[in-house]
């Protein structure tokens, strides 16, 4: 049965190639897509072909590409491969896209996910020429059922001059009812966000579509980019165990209730290990206010440990995506998908007292965290929602193995090579070595705990030597540094391939 029940929509059905012709050189385009879910499956590749054809003729053709977060090879990857992206925002993780950013071909602006949509609404990113949005279905009344992510779609649909909709028959029709579309307004026109618990529904199940601005409807039938998780390694399991012990102790101390507080969990294998740990652990009747639904959360819903999860997108393995598609009617009783300006909303996060847990690239001895840059200059993915959650969390946690690149890099360094989360926001750091609880500590006290509990033994003495030296030469005692040596470890890695001293 057709997924397009509206006459106006049916009249606008065309091929992806014809739809892509609506997008011109210099356009700013808002795309759907968040962590490999709900991105448009056909128009970006068709557009990439047209960009390549223009380049072959010596013509300029680049667009500014705004999304929800990371997309997929057939979206970010295809457009980046033809040098088709002038500016990209916000979070990305496609290797080709990352390569173009680091080669200086595409400009990248790394914005907090909760800010990205509102900033487009405010006009900070210029006029939005087009929106390309995947939906699950178009209803008879012209409203649309969102797909496996919402991201910034509400804002792009609101602001774009031209709208292209992709209707993807691969997405389960039973997603209908899982979404809660609520948009913020311009400053001065907002009321307190009426969310007091992760499962609260405050908006609509559908997107309203202005059909006068819709220039094309494209039918697709393609799966999301669903990446399998690696089997859990011992390091990830140990990090998860440390986090569970820490949370258990918070309960014992009376600082957390027995069912904890809503959990936020970053993407990746450690985050998934944490979820597996929670599923096997002692806590019951949990809730989650987070940005992506991963496999571990689906398992926790199945086991009854997790009552409800709020997010903006799925980030599932192929197996879990199939399960979600088969049983969406069941899971929509436990999952709410929201625009990312709401899933990551600081007001809601602060009000509910979310426990945040995110990965990091490195932390320094004083508790500053770098989530985005390799050796100061090279972009990895972006800050994503880690800042939205960390800054506003009840307890903010960062997790990482203590070593990278086979031991040639210490994740605990004298001074981070790029700052994303400052010492003011970072409360707990966990590596496979242990937990550094930084709450209530001064910088010098933090350094002791981080080095002792989190640094790998191979680097502990070097770190101790650094603070002793810094204390002797620095201009004050509060946060001792030798500015000439603070990044010597990074310099040494770039020069010799290892942070270790020869
Ligand atoms: O390099 O790809 O060349 O092997 O960095 O590291 O170990 O695969 O770690 O997948 O857990 O990602 C911070 C990037 C961690 C992620 C980050 C190298 C390492 C590897 C990746 P290779 P791993 P993970 C919610 C919250 C920001 C967004 C966020 C992230 C590569 O967690 O993007 O939190 N966070 N969002 O070898 C140099 C170090 C290194 C290092 C690791 N200290 N120095 N290289 N690497 N540590 C989700 C969203 O917002 C959507």
């Amino acid at each position: 049965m057709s997924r397009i029940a509206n006459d106006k929509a049916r009249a606008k059905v065309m091929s992806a190639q014809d739809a892509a012709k609506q997008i011109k050189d210099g356009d700013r385009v808002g795309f759907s897509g968040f962590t490999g879910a709900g991105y448009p499956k056909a128009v970006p590749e068709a557009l990439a072909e047209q960009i390549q054809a223009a380049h072959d003729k010596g013509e300029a053709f680049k667009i500014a590409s705004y999304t929800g977060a990371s997309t997929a090879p057939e979206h970010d990857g295809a457009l980046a491969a033809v040098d088709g992206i002038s500016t990209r925002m916000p979070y990305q993780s496609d290797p080709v896209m990352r390569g173009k950013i680091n080669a200086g071909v595409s400009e990248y602006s790394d914005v907090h996910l909760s800010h990205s949509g509102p900033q487009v609404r405010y006009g900070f990113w210029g006029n939005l020429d087009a929106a390309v949005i995947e939906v699950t279905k178009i209803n008879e009344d012209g409203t649309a059922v969102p797909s496996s992510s919402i991201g910034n779609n509400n804002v792009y649909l609101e602001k774009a001059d031209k709208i292209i909709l992709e209707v993807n028959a691969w997405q389960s029709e039973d997603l209908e009812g899982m979404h809660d579309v609520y948009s913020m307004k311009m400053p001065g026109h907002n009321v307190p966000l009426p969310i007091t618990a992760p499962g609260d529904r405050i908006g609509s199940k559908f997107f309203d579509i202005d059909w006068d601005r819709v220039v094309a409807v494209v039918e697709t039938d393609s799966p999301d980019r669903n990446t399998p998780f690696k089997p859990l390694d011992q390091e990830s399991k140990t990090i998860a165990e440390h986090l569970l012990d820490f949370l258990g102790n918070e309960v014992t101390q009376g600082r957390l209730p027995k069912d904890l507080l809503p959990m936020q969990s970053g993407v990746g294998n450690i985050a998934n290990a944490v979820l597996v740990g929670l599923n096997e652990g002692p806590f019951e009747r949990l809730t989650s206010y987070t940005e992506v639904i991963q496999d571990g959360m689906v398992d926790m819903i199945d086991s009854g440990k997790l009552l409800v999860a709020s997010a903006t997108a799925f980030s599932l393995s192929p197996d879990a995506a199939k399960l979600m598609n088969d049983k969406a009617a069941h899971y929509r009783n436990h999952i709410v998908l929201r625009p990312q300006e709401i899933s990551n909303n600081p007001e809601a996060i602060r009000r509910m007292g979310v426990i945040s847990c995110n990965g990091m690239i490195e932390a320094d001895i004083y508790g500053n965290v770098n989530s985005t840059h390799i050796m100061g200059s090279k972009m990895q993915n972006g800050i994503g929602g880690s800042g939205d959650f960390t800054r506003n969390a009840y307890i903010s946690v960062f997790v990482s193995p203590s070593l990278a690149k086979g031991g040639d890099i210490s994740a605990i360094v004298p001074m981070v090579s790029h700052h994303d989360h400052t010492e003011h926001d970072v409360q707990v750091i966990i590596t496979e070595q242990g937990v550094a609880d930084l709450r209530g500590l001064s910088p010098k006290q933090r350094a002791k705990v981080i080095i002792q509990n989190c640094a790998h033994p191979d680097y502990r003495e070097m770190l101790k030597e650094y603070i002793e030296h810094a204390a002797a030469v620095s201009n004050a005692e509060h946060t001792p540094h030798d500015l000439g040596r603070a990044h010597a470890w990074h310099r040494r890695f770039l020069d010799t391939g290892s942070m270790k001293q020869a």
Side-chain angles (χ1 to χ4, degrees):
M1 210 179 84
S2 169
R3 296 284 186 94
I4 306 175
N6 173 276
D7 291 341
K8 280 188 187 166
R10 257 197 298 266
K12 295 184 184 191
V13 172
M14 64 182 77
S15 68
Q17 285 69 24
D18 285 339
K21 286 182 191 145
Q22 296 285 338
I23 297 172
K24 310 284 182 214
D25 175 43
D27 276 2
R28 301 184 187 94
V29 185
F31 291 97
S32 61
F34 197 107
T35 53
Y39 57 92
K41 308 294 187 291
V43 173
E45 278 185 320
L47 178 61
E49 281 167 22
Q50 288 165 23
I51 290 174
Q52 185 61 56
H55 290 177
D56 289 346
K57 286 190 271 174
E59 293 166 8
F61 197 164
K62 271 189 173 186
I63 60 159
S65 169
Y66 312 151
T67 63
S70 51
T71 64
E74 61 268 38
H75 179 175
D76 263 325
L79 288 168
V82 296
D83 292 352
I85 296 183
S86 54
T87 294
R88 176 73 170 80
M89 84 97 184
Y91 187 85
Q92 52 73 44
S93 68
D94 181 83
V96 182
M97 183 75 253
R98 182 188 296 137
K100 297 292 177 181
I101 291 165
N102 287 315
V105 174
S106 299
E107 302 299 327
Y108 175 50
S109 192
D110 191 15
V111 180
H112 293 294
L113 292 183
S114 77
H115 288 176
S116 55
Q119 288 186 1
V120 171
R121 178 180 292 124
Y122 306 155
F124 293 2
W125 291 85
N127 181 64
L128 194 67
D129 299 292
V132 184
I133 307 292
E134 179 180 280
V135 296
T136 298
K137 185 180 165 188
I138 295 172
N139 296 319
E140 207 175 338
D141 65 1
T143 58
V145 179
S147 80
S148 48
S149 68
I150 296 191
N152 285 325
N153 297 355
N154 57 318
V155 182
Y156 299 154
L157 287 168
E158 184 189 309
K159 296 299 287 182
D161 293 341
K162 294 177 189 172
I163 296 170
I164 298 172
L165 296 176
E166 285 197 5
V167 184
N168 186 356
W170 178 84
Q171 301 287 1
S172 166
E173 285 191 76
D174 287 334
L175 288 177
E176 181 176 332
M178 193 179 277
H179 309 95
D180 188 55
V181 182
Y182 177 100
S183 291
M184 302 297 288
K185 299 185 173 59
M186 292 298 284
H189 301 272
N190 284 302
V191 294
L193 190 67
I195 292 180
T196 56
D200 286 352
R201 289 183 178 274
I202 60 172
S204 163
K205 291 194 283 187
F206 308 119
F207 290 133
D208 279 329
I209 307 287
D210 175 359
W211 285 95
D212 291 340
R213 285 185 286 129
V214 177
V215 294
V217 176
V218 176
E219 290 181 284
T220 64
D221 189 357
S222 304
D224 279 328
R225 177 211 67 176
N226 294 304
T227 325
F229 287 100
K230 293 182 212 151
L232 289 190
D233 55 42
Q234 191 47 49
E235 211 167 49
S236 303
K237 284 188 199 164
T238 307
I239 291 172
E241 281 163 20
H242 289 321
L243 175 65
L244 293 180
D245 287 349
F246 169 81
L247 294 173
N249 188 48
E250 288 301 294
V251 174
T252 310
Q253 300 297 323
R255 290 188 289 256
L256 276 177
K258 270 210 253 97
D259 53 358
L260 305 180
L261 286 167
M263 299 284 301
Q264 178 259 336
S265 162
V267 283
N269 292 301
I270 298 179
N272 217 40
V274 167
L275 296 171
V276 171
L278 280 170
N279 201 16
E280 291 162 359
F283 310 111
E284 305 285 342
R285 303 183 63 76
L286 299 174
T287 62
S288 177
Y289 200 79
T290 188
E291 65 183 49
V292 290
I293 305 285
Q294 304 193 63
D295 286 24
M297 283 189 196
V298 178
D299 295 341
M300 286 172 72
I301 291 171
D302 288 344
S303 71
K305 289 255 177 185
L306 182 66
L307 301 182
V308 65
S310 160
T312 192
F314 292 119
S315 182
L316 299 171
S317 69
D319 288 349
K322 182 169 184 319
L323 184 70
M324 184 56 61
N325 255 5
D326 292 346
K327 291 176 67 184
H330 161 67
Y331 287 115
R332 73 186 170 205
N333 299 320
H334 300 275
I335 293 173
V336 187
L337 293 184
R338 311 176 186 278
Q340 69 196 60
E341 62 179 327
I342 308 298
S343 65
N344 288 28
N345 190 284
E347 179 189 347
I349 294 162
R350 184 75 66 96
R351 178 179 298 129
M352 288 185 281
V354 171
I355 302 167
S356 72
C357 178
N358 291 292
M360 63 179 190
I361 287 175
E362 59 183 3
D364 67 29
I365 49 176
Y366 297 121
N368 300 289
V369 165
N370 166 19
S371 296
T372 57
H373 284 65
I374 308 292
M375 302 295 145
S377 303
K378 195 170 177 189
M379 172 51 62
Q380 181 67 16
N381 303 324
I383 194 164
S386 56
D388 294 325
F389 285 93
T390 297
R391 178 81 178 89
N392 299 292
Y394 175 74
I395 298 175
S396 64
V397 181
F398 280 94
V399 289
S400 170
S402 66
L403 298 175
K405 299 290 174 208
D408 284 321
I409 292 177
S410 169
I412 307 296
V413 289
M415 185 187 269
V416 282
S417 61
H418 176 91
H419 281 76
D420 292 294
H421 311 285
T422 71
E423 50 155 332
H424 314 286
D425 298 335
V426 178
Q427 297 180 0
V428 181
I429 295 177
I430 302 180
T431 68
E432 80 292 347
Q433 299 294 321
V435 178
D437 181 354
L438 309 177
R439 292 171 298 173
L441 302 185
S442 72
K444 283 201 300 288
Q445 293 169 326
R446 272 183 238 142
K448 258 195 186 150
V449 178
I450 293 172
I451 294 170
Q452 205 47 49
N453 297 4
C454 291
H456 192 274
D458 287 359
Y459 287 94
R460 261 183 220 153
E461 288 311 311
M462 281 170 67
L463 287 166
K464 282 185 193 157
E465 192 275 326
Y466 175 79
I467 28 175
E468 276 162 29
H469 164 78
V473 302
S474 65
N475 63 334
E477 300 258 332
H478 180 63
T479 308
H481 265 306
D482 175 350
L483 294 178
R485 269 183 56 180
H487 288 133
W489 295 27
H490 299 87
R491 186 66 266 165
R492 191 156 53 238
F493 176 80
L494 290 171
D495 291 343
T496 70
S498 178
M499 284 184 171
K500 288 187 179 142
Q501 277 150 333

